[in-house]
Amino acid sequence: MFRSVFNKLSSLNLFKSAQIRNMSQLQGKLSGKVAVVTASTEGIGLAIAKRLANDGASVVISSRKKHKVDEAVAEIKSISDNVSGIPCHVGKQEDRKLLLDFAVAKYGGIDILVSNAAVNPVMCQVLDTNEEAWDKIFDINVKAAFLLTQAAVPLLEKRGGGSIVYVSSIAAYKAMELLGAYSVSKTALLGLTKAAAAQCSSMNIRVNCLCPGIIDTKFSTAITSSDESLEIVKQTVPMRRVGNPDECAGIVSFLCSDDASYVTGESFVVAGGLYSRL
């Protein structure tokens, strides 16, 4: 009799465990989280926003142009109702504040910050970069990421912790000849990742970095615009193809989830096997 009762209880517990697992999967691994993603109306940023929404997060998207934000929100609405957006030029302090204030007012707080905004106004070797272009690259690619982090960390701490992900580049590890200053700015993000992760660990905030390779986006058309140049690019990639934005999104969702609860200060390369050692 005792064995029969024990077996029934065991079966019931297994059933309840399965229910909990299924419910968790149904809700998504980021259920209850609020994510802010900059430069998220196209390319890698949009793919990340979609994936975070698909995995259960409430997502605030942004970019400089309102019509782009509206279009992206409408697109993501097919995945989740918990998405909204606001125009934001990350180089402007008032816009950064409005972005974070909007997320708090809309969803009650912030758990995830994905800093994806970047520019490259010139195509030249590093020592040929003029001062104006250098300043613009570092203002947007590095300084804005740093200032957003400063502003977001107290908000994440109020929620008991969270996750920050910077979007760097394979160029951070091996400078691309005609993307000289851009490459240096992306290397700087690797350093920011390490430094911020060390300081934020005591607040239960993890900081990591995504380093995409050559991905099929508007940004990459400068080096993949012709069949000839595209073929040359493919020959440099061990997997013999360029990546697509969705292939960058999964690792970000992982880094923002409890699956990566002991991962911080790290940089993850998604580049089809391109060389990635600093």
Side-chain angles (χ1 to χ4, degrees):
M1 179 179 176
F2 176 79
R3 184 181 295 277
S4 175
V5 172
F6 177 79
N7 288 338
K8 286 180 179 179
L9 287 173
S10 297
S11 298
L12 182 60
N13 287 333
L14 288 172
F15 176 70
K16 287 182 177 179
S17 297
Q19 280 186 316
I20 292 170
R21 287 196 301 272
N22 290 337
M23 186 176 295
S24 176
Q25 291 170 356
L26 184 64
Q27 291 177 337
K29 63 185 177 183
L30 299 179
S31 180
K33 305 294 186 183
V34 179
V36 172
V37 188
T38 65
S40 48
T41 58
E42 61 184 19
I44 293 173
L46 178 59
I48 290 171
K50 283 182 178 179
R51 180 58 182 264
L52 298 183
N54 189 62
D55 286 343
S58 298
V59 180
V60 176
I61 65 171
S62 66
S63 73
R64 290 178 299 166
K65 298 178 180 178
K66 185 179 184 303
H67 75 276
K68 287 282 191 181
V69 172
D70 293 341
E71 290 171 2
V73 167
E75 184 175 345
I76 300 177
K77 283 283 188 182
S78 64
I79 299 171
S80 170
D81 287 332
N82 291 326
V83 59
S84 55
I86 182 173
C88 176
H89 186 316
V90 297
K92 298 179 178 179
Q93 191 275 337
E94 61 271 25
D95 278 21
R96 294 192 299 269
K97 184 177 186 304
L98 283 172
L99 173 63
L100 298 180
D101 287 349
F102 177 82
V104 172
K106 184 76 176 179
Y107 298 113
I110 299 171
D111 305 284
I112 296 165
L113 171 66
V114 180
S115 179
N116 176 58
V119 296
N120 183 58
V122 293
M123 294 283 289
C124 62
Q125 297 184 80
V126 63
L127 299 183
D128 296 328
T129 308
N130 63 58
E131 185 176 0
E132 181 182 3
W134 181 274
D135 287 345
K136 184 173 183 178
I137 288 168
F138 275 81
D139 277 350
I140 302 301
N141 299 9
V142 183
K143 185 179 178 181
F146 161 70
L147 292 173
L148 265 173
T149 301
Q150 269 193 330
V153 161
L155 301 176
L156 271 65
E157 190 177 13
K158 282 183 181 178
R159 303 274 280 191
S163 180
I164 297 170
V165 178
Y166 302 123
V167 179
S168 179
S169 168
I170 188 68
Y173 292 91
K174 182 173 172 51
M176 295 184 179
E177 185 176 4
L178 295 181
L179 299 175
Y182 173 86
S183 298
V184 178
S185 75
K186 292 301 187 176
T187 305
L189 286 179
L190 303 187
L192 180 58
T193 299
K194 290 290 187 184
Q199 184 173 355
C200 291
S201 292
S202 62
M203 298 174 247
N204 195 34
I205 298 170
R206 297 178 297 102
V207 185
N208 292 290
C209 190
L210 168 70
C211 298
I214 302 169
I215 308 298
D216 185 16
T217 64
K218 185 186 295 183
F219 183 85
S220 70
T221 55
I223 54 176
T224 61
S225 55
S226 69
D227 290 341
E228 182 180 2
S229 61
L230 179 59
E231 190 56 38
I232 291 172
V233 167
K234 287 180 179 179
Q235 292 306 312
T236 67
V237 180
M239 290 185 71
R240 295 294 185 265
R241 65 177 179 86
V242 298
N244 69 67
D246 290 341
E247 291 177 300
C248 296
I251 187 69
V252 175
S253 182
F254 162 74
L255 290 172
C256 296
S257 75
D258 291 340
D259 290 338
S261 58
Y262 199 52
V263 179
T264 194
E266 300 298 337
S267 299
F268 295 82
V269 176
V270 179
L274 279 173
Y275 182 81
S276 57
R277 290 291 182 273
L278 188 60

